[in-house]
Amino acid sequence: MALSSADRKRMRVVVFLGSTREGRMCTRVAKFVTEQFEKRNYAVELFDPVVLKFPVLEKPMHFYEDSTKIPQWMQECATKIKESDAIVLLSSEYNSVIPPALTNMLCHFSPSLFTCKPCGIVTYSLGVFGGMRVTMQLRALLGDLGSLSIGNTFCIPEVNKALDENGIPLNDNVVRSAEKMISQLDWVTQALKSHKGNFGLPY
């Protein structure tokens, strides 16, 4: 019998935000997604490129031969990723592709931090497709990092009509879609956490 959210140890998820554009909608989506995870007793850490100010990638963490030379901010972010039980990529589409700020953030870190890390994908757009065109690109990127993306994605079409500025849902569909994705991610996260605890990582 599965433990309830209140009874089990608190899980940790890092949510990467992708957009930096003026008027971006990712903040309202992040508020909604954060609340949904917290209802399941998850601790949520947001990686917002506007707040964290990741520089344009010149030297990723795993290129430093002397680990003492790694910038403190990079080490702190890496620790949060390593200690997380799952990650979520929350992305818009820039000309139908992954926003550069999102790729830039992820590529600062060694793929080893993402090895067998379960990952959920959340996309959105002002149009009717909900960012689904970028979903397959995100899956390819996650696969190369060694992360395991779940089958259910959370796509939000006409995001300005689905969530208000405070992340409050404006229709039932957005709630159902979020619950479907998060339920699957939660199941996979618990399963992988248990398996890694028993057998470790494969490499």
Side-chain angles (χ1 to χ4, degrees):
M1 181 173 169
L3 293 175
S4 69
S5 295
D7 293 333
R8 74 184 188 212
K9 183 179 178 181
R10 198 171 198 197
M11 308 282 262
R12 291 165 291 186
V13 59
V14 172
V15 179
F16 290 85
L17 309 189
S19 182
T20 56
R21 290 189 297 201
E22 182 178 346
R24 64 189 185 145
M25 295 284 174
C26 66
T27 52
R28 65 177 67 187
V29 180
K31 290 174 183 177
F32 173 69
V33 168
T34 295
E35 182 178 0
Q36 300 307 305
F37 271 106
E38 288 178 343
K39 287 179 180 178
R40 293 174 178 265
N41 200 33
Y42 274 75
V44 181
E45 183 77 38
L46 295 180
F47 275 31
D48 185 344
V50 171
V51 175
L52 296 176
K53 301 294 185 184
F54 274 66
V56 174
L57 180 62
E58 293 183 353
K59 189 172 185 177
M61 187 173 182
H62 47 298
F63 279 22
Y64 285 85
E65 295 182 3
D66 183 352
S67 61
T68 64
K69 302 295 184 182
I70 300 173
Q72 183 65 28
W73 66 267
M74 194 184 294
Q75 294 185 51
E76 291 173 356
C77 287
T79 297
K80 291 175 181 178
I81 297 170
K82 183 177 181 179
E83 293 180 348
S84 68
D85 299 294
I87 62 173
V88 169
L89 303 188
L90 196 163
S91 181
S92 58
E93 290 181 347
Y94 283 13
N95 298 319
S96 302
V97 298
I98 303 172
L102 178 54
T103 306
N104 184 61
M105 278 197 297
L106 293 168
C107 290
H108 270 84
F109 305 104
S110 168
S112 64
L113 292 178
F114 301 95
T115 299
C116 296
K117 188 86 69 176
C119 181
I121 295 174
V122 180
T123 61
Y124 63 91
S125 72
L126 293 173
V128 297
F129 295 109
M132 66 175 63
R133 290 172 295 190
V134 80
T135 298
M136 300 311 296
Q137 299 169 40
L138 291 171
R139 286 197 192 282
L141 175 57
L142 288 167
D144 209 52
L145 289 173
S147 182
L148 305 172
S149 62
I150 61 169
N152 286 324
T153 57
F154 177 28
C155 299
I156 312 173
E158 298 182 311
V159 64
N160 56 315
K161 298 178 182 178
L163 299 167
D164 72 11
E165 293 181 356
N166 297 311
I168 304 300
L170 301 176
N171 62 64
D172 293 335
N173 289 334
V174 71
V175 177
R176 285 194 294 266
S177 295
E179 288 178 345
K180 187 176 181 181
M181 185 277 288
I182 294 174
S183 292
Q184 186 180 37
L185 181 62
D186 182 53
W187 190 95
V188 173
T189 298
Q190 292 189 65
L192 281 174
K193 188 177 180 69
S194 175
H195 194 74
K196 286 186 285 189
N198 290 327
F199 301 101
L201 294 171
Y203 45 83

